[in-house]
């Protein structure tokens, strides 16, 4: 399993994007008319309808709402109401829309549960078209999970049903989506066979939008086969049709792909030309997400060609445009607490003035009022102490949460200025781990048990990182990523990282030997590389500290080319640790986008260092 991928992997990103577009026509996905959705919600909340109209309203809201959280809310309500009146048809639709919303939120396991419930009902109803639609939706979820066998199985089921029904457009879309999956699996010949079946149907039905996606997918397939002229011809034709239709968002994606395509061939003029064209198109039509992607792509191209200042300029544009951390929620909350404290103090001051006035007016009852005043002052002081304690507790809690997700230096910078500047570090060691056969475990294991087991391992990895003053970056699925040499540069980060890697291997082995038969057992691979990276904070709400650069990509490749229970390092890391550790030269291996690279296994400390 390899959950980690880089920005260069435009083929997969593009394939997923077009897959989503084609499924839109086949499944009741989220509509784009927000005003219509709001109108339906307002009508539903008015209560002016009977039970039949109520189910129909909930159906339309769940089907058309562009917000997956709201769609999930109303599909749950539709299910509740439909079950109450025993409306099997609306129960089916409730599960269907529930699955669509969960898939949009990325909750693929729960999406499958809802789809399979809808599948049982569609079999009961005997409606073949709905059955084909559900098969297609299930196949798309398995595609997201990387389950190749089930993707083929469910797309094939859908294709057979639509072929028997002579539903040509649904048949062609299902074929196109299966072909798109073959693209993601880097099987362009199989993909082209399917695209050559669906393309003529789209053309005969005069569906220019689908024909454009078909041509674009063909271009991607030819690119995978190394047939550059055909790739560019098909993608250029797809772009021309999309421009005619005014569908500019996928054009920017195709242009970014072409930029990657030429960058991998070191044709930098063409690569920069396509990226700038993508940026200008995104600016012209206000496509904000695509504008940010174009800034990031240009930053990457300038970095790869050695223009560090230009790379930093475009990266700053990307950060400023998409991931500004101004007005951070935690900072706002602390400010609100300070305002609340001042208000409390003001209220207490006003109360004291009123108390003084009462004392002046009611001199005849001075002793009694003095007693009351003393009691009031005591309560006031007690209240102030409690309030301050609560404020301090919340402030400490906020600080702890911030330190849990960001390095201390970065957290302090965020609290003081509200923003975090990106930094470049010239020498950082990056480590990746990956559990062997994790996909097989995840398909069969109880989700709660699986997540709990992952937490057990990753908590131990965190402790090891803390021991060696290394920085955990993030977890991606079952992959664990960390770095040494930042946010504070240190000289021996490579040695510390290798020592930490050996402790990870020992923990995994010890955990296996101490497990009972019913507990999950994992083997681990480790890869390490050293070099320059850019580090910074992304996000404006659930922000995270991350690193970017070719060093990260190579570290990931080191892990991919490692073996079970082994630490595989690059030549850069080897040069830094060779005097401390016994390393075994493995030879040169082909690495994607990098050519041949020397790799080494680290077997342990040199005998002179064992004392």
């Amino acid at each position: 399993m390899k959950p980690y991928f880089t920005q260069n992997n435009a083929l997969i990103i593009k394939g997923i994007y077009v897959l989503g577009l084609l499924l839109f026509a086949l499944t009741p996905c989220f509509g784009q008319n927000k005003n219509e959705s709001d109108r339906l919600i307002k009508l539903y909340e008015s209560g002016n309808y009977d039970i039949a109209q109520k189910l129909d309203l909930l159906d339309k809201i769940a089907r058309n709402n562009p917000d997956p959280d709201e769609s999930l809310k109303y599909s749950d309500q539709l299910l509740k109401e439909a079950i109450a009146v025993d409306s099997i048809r609306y129960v089916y639709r409730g599960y269907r829309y529930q699955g669509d919303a969960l898939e949009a939120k990325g909750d693929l396991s729960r999406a499958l549960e809802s789809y399979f419930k809808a599948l049982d009902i569609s079999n009961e109803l005997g409606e073949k078209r709905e059955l084909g639609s559900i098969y297609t939706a299930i196949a798309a979820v398995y595609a997201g999970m990387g389950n190749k066998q089930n993707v083929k199985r469910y797309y094939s089921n859908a294709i057979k049903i639509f072929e028997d029904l002579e539903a040509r457009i649904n048949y062609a879309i299902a074929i196109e989506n299966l072909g798109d999956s073959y693209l993601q699996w880097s099987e362009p010949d199989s993909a082209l066979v399917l695209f050559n079946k669906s393309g003529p149907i789209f053309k005969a039905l005069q569906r220019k939008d689908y024909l454009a996606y078909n041509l674009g997918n063909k271009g991607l397939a030819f690119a995978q086969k190394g047939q550059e002229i055909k790739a560019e011809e098909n993608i250029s034709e797809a772009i021309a049709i999309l421009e005619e239709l005014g569908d500019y968002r996928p054009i920017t994606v195709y242009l970014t792909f072409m930029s990657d395509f030429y960058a991998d061939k070191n044709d930098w003029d063409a690569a920069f030309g396509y990226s700038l064209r993508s940026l200008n198109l995104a600016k012209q039509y206000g496509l904000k997400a695509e504008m940010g992607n174009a800034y990031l792509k240009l930053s990457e191209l300038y970095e790869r060609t050695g223009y560090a200042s230009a790379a930093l300029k475009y990266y700053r544009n990307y950060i400023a445009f998409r991931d500004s951390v101004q007005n951070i929620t935690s900072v706002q909350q602390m400010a609100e607490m300070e305002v609340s404290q001042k208000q409390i103090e003001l209220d207490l001051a006003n109360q004291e003035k009123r108390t003084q006035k009462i004392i002046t007016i009611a001199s005849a009852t001075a002793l009694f009022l003095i007693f009351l005043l003393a009691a009031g002052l005591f309560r006031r002081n007690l209240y102030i102490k409690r309030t301050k304690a609560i404020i301090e507790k919340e402030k400490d809690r906020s600080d702890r949460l911030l330190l849990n997700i960001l390095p201390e230096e970065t957290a302090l910078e965020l609290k003081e200025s509200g923003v975090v500047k990106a930094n470049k570090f010239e020498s950082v060691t990056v480590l990746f781990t990956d559990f062997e056969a994790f996909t097989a475990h995840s398909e069969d294991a109880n989700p709660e048990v699986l997540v709990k087991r992952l937490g057990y391992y990753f908590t131990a990895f965190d402790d090891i990182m803390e021991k060696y003053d290394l920085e955990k970056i993030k977890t991606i699925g079952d992959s664990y990523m960390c770095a040494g040499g930042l946010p504070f540069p240190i000289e021996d980060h490579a040695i510390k990282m290798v020592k930490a890697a050996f402790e990870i291997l020992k923990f995994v082995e010890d955990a296996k030997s101490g497990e009972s038969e019913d507990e999950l057992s994992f083997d681990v691979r480790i890869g390490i590389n050293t070099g320059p990276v850019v580090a910074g904070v992304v996000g404006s709400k659930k922000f995270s500290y991350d690193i970017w650069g070719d060093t990260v990509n190579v570290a990931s490749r080191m892990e991919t080319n490692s073996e079970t229970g082994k630490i595989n390092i690059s030549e850069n890391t080897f040069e830094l640790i060779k005097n401390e550790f016994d390393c075994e030269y493995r030879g040169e291996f082909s690495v994607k986008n990098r050519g041949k690279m020397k790799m080494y296994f680290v077997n342990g400390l040199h005998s002179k260092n064992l004392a």
Side-chain angles (χ1 to χ4, degrees):
M1 177 184 177
K2 191 73 194 89
Y4 178 81
F5 60 89
T6 71
Q7 183 70 18
N8 276 327
N9 205 338
L11 266 174
I12 294 178
I13 297 172
K14 173 62 184 66
I16 293 172
Y17 183 84
V18 174
L19 177 68
L21 288 173
L22 293 186
L23 280 176
F24 177 81
L26 190 59
T27 66
C29 295
F30 308 111
Q32 300 303 312
N33 192 336
K34 184 71 169 77
N35 292 334
E36 175 64 11
S37 177
D38 291 341
R39 186 189 69 80
L40 291 170
I41 291 174
K42 187 175 181 180
L43 179 59
Y44 171 73
E45 291 176 347
S46 71
N48 297 325
Y49 43 75
D50 58 28
I51 185 60
Q53 292 173 318
K54 184 177 186 179
L55 291 174
D56 185 59
L57 267 175
L58 287 169
D59 178 284
K60 290 177 179 176
I61 295 171
R63 181 175 70 247
N64 296 311
N65 199 300
D67 182 344
D69 288 315
E70 284 196 4
S71 180
L72 184 59
K73 169 186 172 182
Y74 286 103
S75 42
D76 289 344
Q77 186 64 27
L78 174 61
L79 266 174
K80 179 180 176 181
E81 299 290 345
I83 292 172
V85 297
D86 197 23
S87 174
I88 189 68
R89 188 172 303 280
Y90 280 110
V91 170
Y92 160 78
R93 293 180 182 179
Y95 282 125
R96 178 58 198 272
Y97 305 152
Q98 188 182 70
D100 294 335
L102 290 167
E103 183 184 11
K105 286 167 62 65
D107 194 343
L108 300 185
S109 296
R110 290 180 61 203
L112 272 182
E113 290 178 11
S114 298
Y115 282 148
F116 279 121
K117 289 175 182 177
L119 178 64
D120 291 338
I121 297 173
S122 64
N123 277 320
E124 183 181 337
L125 292 173
E127 294 188 0
K128 293 292 185 180
R129 188 180 294 271
E130 295 291 352
L131 186 61
S133 175
I134 284 290
Y135 279 142
T136 305
I138 292 173
V141 175
Y142 278 124
M145 292 179 166
N147 190 322
K148 186 174 180 180
Q149 181 178 353
N150 280 337
V151 171
K152 290 181 179 180
R153 172 187 173 188
Y154 284 100
Y155 271 136
S156 297
N157 289 345
I159 290 168
K160 180 65 170 63
I161 288 174
F162 291 137
E163 185 177 23
D164 292 342
L165 292 174
E166 298 183 357
R168 297 181 68 199
I169 186 65
N170 303 83
Y171 172 73
I173 290 173
I175 288 177
E176 186 77 16
N177 285 333
L178 179 56
D180 189 78
S181 294
Y182 276 106
L183 267 188
Q184 296 177 52
W185 303 328
S186 298
E187 298 181 32
D189 290 321
S190 298
L192 281 170
V193 170
L194 295 166
F195 296 152
N196 287 332
K197 286 184 179 180
S198 55
I201 298 175
F202 294 144
K203 189 172 183 179
L205 295 175
Q206 298 183 353
R207 293 304 301 265
K208 286 188 175 182
D209 46 357
Y210 293 163
L211 182 59
Y213 306 139
N214 174 263
L215 289 166
N217 277 340
K218 283 184 179 179
L220 300 181
F222 284 124
Q224 283 191 7
K225 287 168 64 67
Q227 298 180 16
E228 303 170 17
I229 296 176
K230 287 186 177 182
E232 188 163 10
E233 285 176 352
N234 278 270
I235 290 179
S236 297
E237 189 175 348
I239 290 174
I241 295 174
L242 291 166
E243 285 178 334
E244 178 187 343
L245 296 173
D247 191 1
Y248 299 107
R249 192 179 303 274
I251 294 176
T252 63
V253 179
Y254 282 126
L255 291 173
T256 300
F257 165 76
M258 293 301 291
S259 176
D260 271 330
F261 181 72
Y262 281 106
D264 289 341
K265 297 184 177 299
N266 294 324
D267 186 346
W268 300 109
D269 288 339
F272 277 104
Y274 278 108
S275 278
L276 288 169
R277 186 178 169 192
S278 176
L279 175 60
N280 291 334
L281 188 66
K283 285 182 176 179
Q284 182 180 353
Y285 293 100
L287 305 174
K288 295 184 178 180
E290 286 68 25
M291 205 183 307
N293 291 337
Y295 280 134
L296 187 60
K297 177 54 60 183
L298 284 164
S299 173
E300 178 186 325
L301 292 177
Y302 277 116
E303 182 181 9
R304 290 175 66 182
T305 52
Y307 293 96
S309 61
L312 184 58
K313 170 190 171 184
Y314 278 101
Y315 185 75
R316 283 174 175 167
N317 287 341
Y318 166 70
I319 293 296
F321 196 82
R322 291 188 57 192
D323 300 305
S324 171
V325 291
Q326 294 177 353
N327 300 320
I328 298 298
T329 302
S330 60
V331 176
Q332 290 178 330
Q333 289 174 342
M334 285 187 282
E336 289 169 1
M337 284 190 287
E338 290 175 2
V339 171
S340 297
Q341 183 178 9
K342 289 180 180 178
Q343 184 61 49
I344 290 169
E345 292 172 351
L346 180 60
D347 290 342
L348 290 171
N350 291 334
Q351 177 63 44
E352 186 175 359
K353 289 179 181 179
R354 288 193 294 270
T355 303
Q356 292 296 334
K357 185 177 180 180
I358 292 171
I359 293 172
T360 303
I361 295 172
S363 56
T365 56
L367 292 175
F368 180 67
L369 289 177
I370 290 173
F371 172 77
L372 291 179
L373 177 60
L377 288 173
F378 174 78
R379 293 178 63 187
R380 184 189 72 176
N381 290 333
L382 184 61
Y383 178 66
I384 290 174
K385 289 180 180 178
R386 289 177 177 173
T387 303
K388 287 183 176 179
I390 292 171
I391 291 172
E392 288 300 321
K393 182 179 179 181
E394 289 302 314
K395 184 177 181 299
D396 290 343
R397 179 174 175 270
S398 177
D399 290 343
R400 287 196 304 273
L401 288 174
L402 206 56
L403 291 172
N404 276 340
I405 58 177
L406 298 176
E408 183 175 0
E409 180 193 40
T410 305
L412 290 174
E413 182 181 356
L414 180 63
K415 288 172 61 179
E416 290 175 359
S417 63
V419 296
V420 176
K421 294 180 181 179
N423 293 309
K424 183 169 184 180
F425 296 86
E426 295 301 330
S427 181
V428 169
T429 300
V430 181
L431 173 146
F432 278 87
T433 73
D434 190 66
F435 291 124
E436 289 280 0
F438 183 80
T439 301
H441 286 301
S442 64
E443 290 177 356
D444 299 329
N446 180 293
E448 184 177 349
V449 173
L450 183 67
V451 171
K452 182 177 179 181
R453 197 62 179 164
L454 269 181
Y456 170 71
Y457 279 92
F458 287 163
T459 298
F461 293 0
D462 288 346
D463 293 339
I464 294 170
M465 294 306 112
E466 184 175 359
K467 174 182 176 181
Y468 287 98
D469 293 325
L470 304 172
E471 192 69 37
K472 173 187 177 180
I473 303 300
K474 58 185 172 182
T475 60
I476 315 159
D478 64 310
S479 179
Y480 186 94
M481 174 185 176
C482 62
L486 53 77
F488 298 104
I490 54 177
E491 293 184 358
D492 59 346
H493 51 79
I495 293 174
K496 285 185 175 182
M497 188 64 76
V498 174
K499 289 181 178 180
F502 274 110
E503 289 208 18
I504 288 174
L505 290 180
K506 185 177 185 305
F507 175 81
V508 171
E509 287 302 313
D510 290 346
K512 286 172 59 180
S513 63
E515 291 170 351
S516 61
E517 294 183 358
D518 59 344
E519 286 184 314
L520 294 177
S521 175
F522 295 125
D523 290 309
V524 70
R525 294 191 306 259
I526 298 178
I528 301 175
N529 179 43
T530 303
V533 301
V534 173
V537 174
V538 295
S540 60
K541 294 186 183 297
K542 296 182 179 179
F543 39 77
S544 64
Y545 185 76
D546 210 344
I547 59 176
W548 302 268
D550 196 50
T551 297
V552 179
N553 302 338
V554 172
S556 174
R557 301 292 182 263
M558 292 299 110
E559 178 272 307
T560 304
N561 286 277
S562 186
E563 296 178 3
T564 301
K566 293 284 189 178
I567 302 169
N568 188 39
I569 64 172
S570 67
E571 186 176 13
N572 290 346
T573 306
F574 169 74
E575 292 298 330
L576 296 175
I577 71 161
K578 61 184 180 182
N579 295 328
E580 186 81 13
F581 293 93
D582 175 28
C583 299
E584 173 188 345
Y585 178 60
R586 301 179 63 197
E588 294 188 352
F589 292 77
S590 294
V591 175
K592 184 177 181 182
N593 299 327
R594 296 283 301 181
K596 295 283 189 178
M597 294 191 72
K598 293 180 180 180
M599 298 187 190
Y600 303 78
F601 279 145
V602 187
N603 295 326
L605 286 168
H606 279 308
S607 57
K608 63 181 181 181
N609 297 319
L610 291 175

